[in-house]
Amino acid sequence: MNRPYIFCHMMTSLDGKIMGNYMETAEGAAAGDVFYNISFGKNPYYKHQGWLSGRVTTDDNFTFYEKPELDENAPSVPEGDFVAKPHEPMYYVSVDPSGKLGWKSCDLTYIDTHAHVLEVLTEKVSNAYKAFLRKLGISYIIAGEDTLDYAVAMEKLKNLFGIETLMLGGGGVLNWSFIQAGMCDEVSVVIAPSADGSSETPALFATRGGLATDKAVGFELQSAEVKDGGSVWLRYLVKK
Ligand SMILES: NC(=O)c1ccc[n+]([C@@H]2O[C@H](COP(=O)([O-])OP(=O)(O)OC[C@H]3O[C@@H](n4cnc5c(N)ncnc54)[C@H](OP(=O)(O)O)[C@@H]3O)[C@@H](O)[C@H]2O)c1
């Protein structure tokens, strides 16, 4: 398949959580810097051209559960994909199968990383939502009828936008569905030496939402490094 190389890069607590108060400890903050520098710092390890996020992660961090401003009477948009900005240095690729996200702009900034927003939709998304994205200058691709067609989505990211390496950036639902679909080559995890014991916060991988099964997967260790503040950086290949 003609798709990007896909690595999942995440930070977790000692007990595998991707959210929570543990991030506010000195150890959590140090691990957060390690996480960012590996993927987006001055000399990044993977040198990717895009990072993929689930709809909940995008709402939590960038769109804040705002409703999109839809014009139900918008003229019909042309069929197919919309490439507003081809071959940008960095894309924020948002998996939004129903077209829910209330974007305000076609670009975003994450710490000091600037990216063009690229939505991954399915055929079930309304004309009004696609017109809304076009008006903002947000690129979109359509992959699948009702549910995400992983192969189509990944091929389009490579062919239409030149994404050769893609970071799978959470949350746990997105990560696990991509691993189960055979769409993740490598897992890179920075473990913070802190925890908060919460039973409410999401873990690195989750079957929630019926998007994937709990079929077990093995991983093959590539490297283990001790980093700042006592964090560790583990890299694993996903066994096929
Ligand atoms: N520590 C870290 O490094 C890190 C990194 C990223 C995120 N996070 C945190 O993780 C939390 C959210 O994680 P989460 O696991 O609850 O949610 P998530 O993976 O961000 O989003 C799940 C949603 O994304 C869409 N989606 C994901 N995979 C899909 C697939 N294969 N096919 C179709 N749609 C798919 C669905 O949207 P619909 O519901 O619209 O259908 C699904 O409900 C946030 O609090 C975020 O801040 C932490």
Side-chain angles (χ1 to χ4, degrees), residues 42-171:
K42 298 280 171 278
N43 185 22
Y45 181 79
Y46 292 99
K47 299 178 177 53
H48 56 299
Q49 296 81 37
W51 86 100
L52 192 69
S53 290
R55 199 262 314 153
V56 175
T57 294
T58 301
D59 259 338
D60 275 3
N61 293 286
F62 297 112
T63 48
F64 310 113
Y65 298 89
E66 296 268 343
K67 295 278 175 260
E69 286 174 19
L70 300 185
D71 173 4
E72 296 299 341
N73 301 314
S76 289
V77 301
E79 285 215 2
D81 309 314
F82 177 57
V83 182
K85 294 188 185 176
H87 298 274
E88 284 286 290
M90 186 61 83
Y91 291 94
Y92 180 84
V93 188
S94 161
V95 177
D96 183 16
S98 310
K100 293 179 185 166
L101 292 168
W103 293 105
K104 302 284 185 208
S105 163
C106 64
D107 299 299
L108 58 76
T109 301
Y110 167 53
I111 305 182
D112 61 359
T113 300
H114 307 289
H116 175 64
V117 177
L118 197 177
E119 281 257 300
V120 180
L121 309 175
T122 61
E123 297 282 359
K124 70 184 172 193
V125 170
S126 68
N127 181 73
Y129 191 75
K130 288 183 267 190
F132 159 78
L133 294 180
R134 281 175 175 261
K135 196 169 161 194
L136 284 173
I138 293 176
S139 299
Y140 61 78
I141 56 172
I142 303 187
E145 291 283 329
D146 244 19
T147 56
L148 179 68
D149 186 324
Y150 299 85
V152 167
M154 295 304 106
E155 281 189 24
K156 286 183 176 181
L157 293 183
K158 183 163 181 175
N159 295 338
L160 297 177
F161 299 92
I163 298 177
E164 297 286 337
T165 303
L166 180 70
M167 176 177 139
L168 180 57

Side-chain angles (χ1 to χ4, degrees), residues 10-11 18-19 22-23 35 54-57 60-61 95 97 100 148 150 169-174 177-178 202 208 211:
M10 299 288 288
M11 168 183 155
I18 60 174
M19 281 299 290
Y22 79 88
M23 289 179 171
F35 165 83
R55 199 262 314 153
V56 175
T57 294
D60 275 3
N61 293 286
V95 177
K100 293 179 185 166
L148 179 68
Y150 299 85
V173 170
L174 180 86
S177 66
F178 269 70
R208 211 183 59 244
L211 291 166

